[in-house]
Amino acid sequence: MNTTAMSPLTVTPLGFVPDLKNSTLDPLNETACENWKEIHHLVFHVANICFAVGLVIPTTLNLHMILLRGLLTIGCALFIIWATLYRCALDIMIWNSVFLVVNLLHFIYLVYKRRPIKIEKELSSLYKRMFEPLHVPPELFQRLTGQFCNIQTLKTGQAYAAEDKTSVDDRLSILLKGKMKVSYRGHFLHNIYPCAFIDSPEFRSTQMNRGEKFQVTIIADDNCKFLCWSRERLTYFLESEPFLYEIFKYLIGKDITNKLYSLNDPTLNDKASKKIDRQSSLCSQLSVMQMRNSMASTSDSEDGLQMFLRGTSSASSLRNNQQEFYNAYGVSRLQHDVFC
């Protein structure tokens, strides 16, 4: 029997040395970079430059996300052009098309969020005078004034609130145009000018006690226009916006101190009130503190008010105005509103 013919294996002699020069290379080595190819087209490099610039934009830059998405979108578009016209690579074109759509959608959304917010002409002065100095964003102010409030008007002589008749639970308003007069039992207390709350003392003093009535009469001394919020819906909205809630607390407290300050100067007009608003309201705070300290030093609140008013011009008329304001709002309640 020929064992050599039956065996499928070949036997290599012990002294045999294989010829490596004439042997074929293993297919796994075909991907080795023996010869570098030529540099890609300029479009390819510009696309990568866009990616690199977009990634090194500092995050402290205000528009860094918009710039990043914009450069990524441009880079993907250039990659599609390079893969289609110069590389003829279908897979590269498909993947970059997907990336292009994703980045383009992000870019459009970011630009839309940065769009200028258009505030109504009637509300622009209110925003610039009261809310913009406190860094309230225009979009937040638009939400505040665009959902649950409306603009109402009053003709000369019409009443906004009647003493002992109108409920204080329904609304909170800011005067936009005109002038209103506040009186108690027929005695003049003070005026209300544009960009001032109409019923801030009532709003603050009745947050815990509902069902009360206005203790003063508020009448339009001119053709008036005012912004009116539903009190209940405004309260719910402010609870969901802590920043705006603190802003309202500050504005209402400042408005109350300005109303107290105006009692010391009944001739205070709108121009003078704007000047006070631009200041730090230190005079208003000192006036209220002096009134509180003078009242605390005496057992009779009337004597305390008279001591506070001593030394001012027209002391008798001011004393009457101060006493009427005390009777209308309650000095102790206002002190709690301003300082708590």
Side-chain angles (χ1 to χ4, degrees), residues 98-109:
V98 174
F99 298 149
L100 173 66
V101 172
V102 172
N103 285 287
L104 184 60
L105 291 177
H106 275 280
F107 177 79
I108 294 174
Y109 173 72

Side-chain angles (χ1 to χ4, degrees), residues 306-339:
Q306 292 175 7
M307 291 177 60
F308 170 69
L309 295 173
R310 188 174 300 166
T312 60
S313 62
S314 304
S316 60
S317 62
L318 291 176
R319 189 182 301 112
N320 292 333
N321 289 341
Q322 193 79 12
Q323 180 61 31
E324 298 298 341
F325 193 84
Y326 164 72
N327 293 332
Y329 295 117
V331 172
S332 61
R333 183 172 63 189
L334 281 174
Q335 290 172 3
H336 178 272
D337 295 338
V338 174
F339 295 102

Side-chain angles (χ1 to χ4, degrees), residues 140-210:
L140 185 58
F141 178 77
Q142 190 179 51
R143 290 178 56 198
L144 174 66
T145 59
Q147 296 181 355
F148 42 87
C149 67
N150 52 48
I151 297 177
Q152 301 181 11
T153 58
L154 285 177
K155 295 182 179 179
T156 304
Q158 289 184 329
Y160 173 85
E163 185 178 332
D164 295 327
K165 294 181 180 180
T166 306
S167 174
V168 301
D169 297 338
D170 298 333
R171 56 186 174 175
L172 175 68
S173 303
I174 296 180
L175 186 62
L176 299 176
K177 182 181 179 182
K179 184 177 71 172
M180 289 186 174
K181 181 174 64 176
V182 182
S183 61
Y184 174 71
R185 295 183 181 178
H187 298 283
F188 171 77
L189 294 179
H190 61 86
N191 290 318
I192 300 175
Y193 295 98
C195 296
F197 285 96
I198 299 176
D199 43 7
S200 56
E202 290 79 9
F203 179 82
R204 179 64 67 85
S205 62
T206 59
Q207 284 182 334
M208 301 300 295
N209 301 318
R210 297 299 179 92

Side-chain angles (χ1 to χ4, degrees), residues 4 7-13:
T4 305
S7 177
L9 300 176
T10 58
V11 179
T12 304

